């Protein structure tokens, strides 16, 4: 099956990786920008920006691999449909989960006074969850689109000589 | 390229639509929401202030006015720290809090986080806090639950009532609970009568009213419905000098409207955009508080941003005969 990967595909994959990274780092930049506008130093949000950047970097590499260097036996349209659907899930999750986490953990302010790592940890964990959601949707859509290819890959991965028993 | 299956076409369409919907709709709402709130917990100010350092004289008063501080977040801490720094430069013995003392939960649970920790240096210096009830202290329309919340705040702050007056040096303050019903609802006559009496019996050189909901505002909430019709005539008739409000998370000052200057000082921990109305002479979307000096027949105010920048400076002269 043709995969249509070429220069255009590589550029698109880089764009996709940038979009994934951008979506993950954007909420922290929104906070920095709001504080800056109000008269608070950007250093005030440096910890969450750093955590976001680290997660965004890792996710961007993962996104590039999935869009470009991943399984090329899948049709191009399937791969990009899954990538777009996953991006559609990542965008709201990356903004909503950190906000929801900080908003619901009402005990955090008092705790954060003595444990400065707690806020970036909660922020990072919620971004990590968003990344998991993105990966999960990506995988699920790819499987749904190409069940035959998935079966072929599963069979190919099975060690030679392994026996599979089936009831009946 | 092989022909697309129906499933692939559907997925491609859904993927594109999902990305557009999420990017264009949900995310566009969520990012401003993040920018508007103050969700990152902050470390409390570490300043130690000299106790009771403000000058006490019959014709002098320095006070601070701030509203909408109740997040306990980093931006709230930054404003509180600036207020403490303001005390170091020009000590004051009074803070008029313009409402919304507590966001994101009940005040009984969060009082330390949203109030005590941010302003501990001022509390330790002996500064007095007087509260005007805001909608987040209860609700815009009072219910049993919101009245319980308000009672808790009044008790925790040692505030005598939802509507009350105080007198400090040359200034008489009137504090109003501007939620409805009451001041602006259908059954407003009792509270308005109280307000009229309080202002009429005020004999001091300066009359300042503190309430949460702004009469005039070019911000996100805008002017409070009915306030201009109901309250502005009372303030004009009773020659109020300054009306301090919050609710909208910005700073704004009007030109004198029938002799009354209206200030919104609601940048205690969050910011929302502000435009300009026909009354506006100064406005800024900023984290800020208002520092006011009254010396004899002269009242000067400056709105101080969290980083110390002065957003606005104004001066009022006492009315004739006072």
């Amino acid at each position: 099956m043709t995969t249509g990967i070429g220069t255009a595909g590589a550029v698109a994959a880089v764009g996709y990786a940038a979009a994934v990274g951008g979506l993950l780092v954007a909420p922290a930049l929104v906070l920095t920008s709001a504080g800056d506008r109000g008269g608070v130093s950007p250093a005030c949000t440096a910890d969450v920006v750093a955590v976001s950047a680290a997660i965004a970097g890792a996710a961007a590499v993962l996104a590039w691999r999935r869009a470009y260097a991943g399984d090329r036996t899948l049709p191009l349209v399937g791969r990009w449909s899954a990538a777009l659907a996953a991006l559609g899930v990542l965008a709201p999750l990356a903004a909503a989960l950190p906000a929801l986490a900080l908003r619901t953990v009402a005990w955090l302010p008092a705790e954060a006074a003595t444990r400065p790592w707690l806020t970036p940890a909660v922020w990072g964990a919620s971004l990590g969850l968003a990344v998991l959601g993105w990966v999960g949707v990506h995988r699920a859509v790819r499987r749904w689109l190409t069940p035959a290819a998935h079966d072929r890959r599963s069979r190919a991965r099975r060690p030679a000589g392994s026996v599979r028993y089936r009831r009946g | 390229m092989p022909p697309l299956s129906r499933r692939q076409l559907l997925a491609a369409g859904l993927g594109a639509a999902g990305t557009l919907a999420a990017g264009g709709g949900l995310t566009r709402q969520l990012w401003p929401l993040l920018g508007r709130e103050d969700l990152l917990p902050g470390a409390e100010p570490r300043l130690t202030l000299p106790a009771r350092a403000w000058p006490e004289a019959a014709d002098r008063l320095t006070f601070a006015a701030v509203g909408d501080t109740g997040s306990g977040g980093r931006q709230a801490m930054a404003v509180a720290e600036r207020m403490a720094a303001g005390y170091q430069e020009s000590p004051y013995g009074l803070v008029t809090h313009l409402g919304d003392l507590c966001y994101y939960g009940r005040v009984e649970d969060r009082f330390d986080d949203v109030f005590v920790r941010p302003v501990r240096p001022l509390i330790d210096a002996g500064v007095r806090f007087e509260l005007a009830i805001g909608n987040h202290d209860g609700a815009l329309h009072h219910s049993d639950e919101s009245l319980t919340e308000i009672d808790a705040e009044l008790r925790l702050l040692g505030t005598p009532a939802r509507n009350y007056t105080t007198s400090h040096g040359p200034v008489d303050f009137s504090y109003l609970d501007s939620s409805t019903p009451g001041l602006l609802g259908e059954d407003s006559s009792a509270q308005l009568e109280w307000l009229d009496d309080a202002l009429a019996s005020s004999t001091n050189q300066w009359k300042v009213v503190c309430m949460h909901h702004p009469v005039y505002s070019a911000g996100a909430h805008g002017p409070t419905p009915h306030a201009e019709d109901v309250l502005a005539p009372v303030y004009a008739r009773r020659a109020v000098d300054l009306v301090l409000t919050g609710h909208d998370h910005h700073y704004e000052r009007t030109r004198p409207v029938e002799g009354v200057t209206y200030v919104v000082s609601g940048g205690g921990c969050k910011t929302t955009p502000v435009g300009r109305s026909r009354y506006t002479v100064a406005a800024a979307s900023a984290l800020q508080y208002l520092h006011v000096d009254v010396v004899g027949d002269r009242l000067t105010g400056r709105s101080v941003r969290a980083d110390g920048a002065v957003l606005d400076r104004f001066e009022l002269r006492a009315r004739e005969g006072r």
Side-chain angles (χ1 to χ4, degrees):
Chain A
M1 189 175 287
T2 172
T3 55
I5 295 288
T7 310
V11 170
V14 169
Y16 181 68
V20 166
L23 284 173
L24 285 164
V25 87
L29 295 181
V30 166
L31 292 182
T32 306
S33 155
D36 188 41
R37 201 176 51 240
V40 173
S41 159
C44 194
T45 49
D47 53 353
V48 292
V49 170
V51 167
S52 300
I55 292 175
V61 171
L62 192 63
W64 182 81
R65 286 186 54 172
R66 285 181 162 256
Y68 182 70
D71 181 1
R72 296 187 183 189
T73 60
L74 299 179
L76 191 67
V77 69
R79 208 161 49 235
W80 280 103
S81 296
L84 280 179
L87 201 64
V89 170
L90 179 68
L93 282 186
L97 286 182
L100 198 66
L102 292 174
R103 168 73 182 78
T104 42
V105 187
W107 48 265
L108 198 53
E111 292 290 312
T114 50
R115 299 176 197 169
W117 51 266
L118 199 55
T119 302
V122 168
W123 183 269
S126 53
L127 281 184
L129 268 181
V131 170
L132 284 180
W134 164 66
V135 171
V137 169
H138 197 262
R139 278 190 169 189
V141 175
R142 278 168 63 136
R143 280 188 186 190
W144 180 68
L145 279 174
T146 52
H150 181 71
D151 288 348
R152 276 200 303 277
R153 284 164 57 208
S154 301
R155 276 199 295 275
R157 276 198 206 118
R158 206 173 297 147
S162 66
V163 180
R164 192 172 191 183
Y165 296 98
R166 190 177 274 182
R167 284 186 191 183
Chain B
M1 189 169 169
L4 298 180
S5 71
R6 210 179 286 174
R7 197 181 261 204
Q8 287 166 343
L9 272 174
L10 178 68
L14 283 177
T19 303
L20 283 176
L26 271 173
T27 311
R28 215 164 42 193
Q29 287 184 4
L30 284 168
W31 284 351
L33 180 76
L34 268 175
R36 277 201 305 272
E37 298 297 320
D38 179 27
L39 291 168
L40 295 178
E44 61 194 84
R46 297 284 178 200
L47 290 171
T48 304
L49 304 175
R52 306 188 66 83
W54 55 89
E56 291 190 75
D59 69 337
R60 288 191 69 166
L61 176 71
T62 301
F63 68 95
V66 67
D68 308 80
T69 59
S71 66
R74 293 182 185 182
Q75 297 184 167
M77 295 298 178
V79 173
E81 187 154 14
R82 179 51 51 192
M83 290 176 71
Y87 178 100
Q88 278 183 319
E89 292 162 15
S90 165
Y92 49 87
L94 170 70
V95 173
T96 60
H97 196 290
L98 305 169
D100 281 5
L101 190 73
C102 178
Y103 298 121
Y104 316 140
R106 293 175 60 237
V107 71
E108 291 270 21
D109 306 326
R110 306 207 66 219
F111 188 66
D112 267 8
D113 289 336
V114 300
F115 181 74
V116 177
R117 284 183 51 237
V119 297
R120 193 188 303 277
L122 294 172
I123 293 172
D124 290 347
V127 174
R128 179 183 165 84
F129 287 80
E130 295 179 349
L131 172 71
I133 294 293
N135 60 302
H136 278 274
D137 304 319
L140 183 58
H141 297 272
H142 285 322
S143 61
D144 288 347
E145 193 182 342
S146 69
L147 288 173
T148 308
E149 183 75 355
I150 289 169
D151 284 345
E153 285 195 358
L154 298 180
R155 178 168 42 77
L156 288 165
L157 273 181
T159 306
R162 282 163 48 199
N163 303 292
Y164 60 101
T165 59
T166 59
S167 193
H168 300 275
V171 186
D172 282 343
F173 292 89
S174 301
Y175 291 87
L176 301 174
D177 173 2
S178 52
S179 302
T180 56
L183 197 58
L184 302 168
E186 286 174 10
D187 186 25
S188 63
S189 53
Q191 202 178 337
L192 279 175
E193 221 167 272
W194 174 89
L195 172 65
D196 199 45
D197 283 350
L199 293 173
S201 58
S202 162
T203 54
N204 228 332
Q205 197 167 17
W206 294 92
K207 294 185 192 183
V208 175
V209 171
C210 302
M211 53 190 264
H212 183 63
H213 295 92
V215 178
Y216 302 105
S217 168
H221 292 298
T224 305
H226 312 301
E228 184 174 9
D229 303 333
V230 173
L231 297 176
V234 179
Y235 296 153
R237 188 170 66 246
R238 295 302 179 193
V240 169
D241 300 288
L242 182 62
V243 176
L244 300 173
T245 62
H247 195 45
D248 264 329
H249 303 152
H250 68 254
Y251 172 75
E252 185 178 0
R253 176 171 61 88
T254 69
R255 63 173 169 77
V257 181
E258 293 187 75
V260 185
T261 298
Y262 294 84
V263 168
V264 179
S265 180
C269 73
K270 307 178 188 181
T271 54
T272 45
V274 60
R276 280 180 176 267
S277 74
R278 63 197 162 116
Y279 301 115
T280 309
V281 289
S285 172
L287 299 162
Q288 53 72 233
Y289 82 99
L290 188 72
H291 199 111
V292 182
D293 288 298
V294 183
V295 181
D297 65 350
R298 192 169 298 197
L299 180 153
T300 53
R302 55 193 159 94
S303 174
V304 185
R305 208 167 68 158
D307 59 1
V310 175
L311 298 167
D312 179 39
R313 221 180 268 273
F314 63 94
E315 182 175 307
L316 305 179
R317 300 301 292 261
R319 301 201 185 215
E320 288 289 321
R322 284 200 198 151

